[in-house]
Amino acid sequence: MLFISGGPAFAAQGTAITFPRGEFILRRELEREMARRATLLVARAWRGRFETDGETALVTGEQISSRVVAPAHLEPIAAIERERRSSGPFPARLDMDGRIVGEATGSAAGKAEAVKAAMAVLERAGHTLGQLHESKAYLDRLASSADAMTRKIPADLFFPVVGRQANAGR
């Protein structure tokens, strides 16, 4: 789920966009149910801004917070995820209708390294084979969620059109 505060409102279809001045906050929350009714929550926030050149706008931003809530036995992984920096959907180029053009360049860079480091921490901590298996499944779900968010950024993310959704670059 994505939330934007202090920034753009919903766009009416066919209405010209006026890019706001100043900064806005974009928040993303991913929640997954795990084994034994446990849940995993990853919430990140970015401070963003619009830079216009008359023809298009560039939306830039940087991560300002990260919160991870996970079962106690996954705390070493949760700690690594809390420290991981994510570019989110930034930077993104918008047309004058407020839609992302091309592909948003945000990525989940460093995921493979983070997974490898997290598994090494758990192995050194003496976790059981079962715990390691559950941890690996958790990391796979987390990586899949991050990939999905990166690949499926709606073209109208910053100026949503009510009742319509389309992916960037589509």
Side-chain angles (χ1 to χ4, degrees):
M1 187 173 300
L2 290 162
F3 307 94
I4 297 179
S5 62
F10 287 94
Q13 198 166 356
T15 303
I17 298 295
T18 301
F19 295 104
R21 294 181 179 180
E23 296 180 333
F24 64 90
I25 303 296
L26 174 70
R27 288 186 304 255
R28 176 183 73 194
E29 292 182 7
L30 300 172
E31 187 170 5
R32 295 282 183 246
E33 187 172 323
M34 301 177 64
R36 297 184 292 268
R37 297 182 189 249
T39 60
L40 162 71
L41 173 71
V42 179
R44 294 191 192 284
W46 297 266
R47 179 173 292 116
R49 65 200 121 323
F50 294 92
E51 301 167 13
T52 61
D53 63 12
E55 301 277 324
T56 62
L58 179 66
V59 187
T60 58
E62 64 269 342
Q63 182 178 309
I64 57 172
S65 70
S66 175
R67 182 171 65 101
V68 180
V69 179
H73 72 278
L74 296 179
E75 181 51 35
I77 295 173
I80 291 169
E81 185 60 23
R82 274 184 210 102
E83 295 302 314
R84 187 176 68 82
R85 304 296 291 176
S86 170
S87 61
F90 302 106
R93 175 76 53 192
L94 306 183
D95 64 19
M96 293 311 287
D97 293 322
R99 299 181 61 75
I100 296 173
V101 293
E103 295 290 329
T105 58
S107 71
K111 281 186 309 189
E113 293 82 13
V115 168
K116 186 176 177 181
M119 291 306 293
V121 166
L122 292 175
E123 288 170 3
R124 283 192 305 270
H127 285 266
T128 68
L129 211 48
Q131 289 171 324
L132 289 172
H133 179 71
E134 185 176 346
S135 298
K136 179 72 169 114
Y138 155 81
L139 290 169
D140 289 342
R141 283 192 299 275
L142 188 61
S144 293
S145 294
D147 281 344
M149 288 301 296
T150 301
R151 282 193 317 267
K152 298 180 182 179
I153 296 172
D156 63 349
L157 173 68
F158 297 102
F159 295 91
V161 176
V162 178
R164 187 172 136 194
Q165 178 182 355
N167 290 337
R170 307 276 181 239

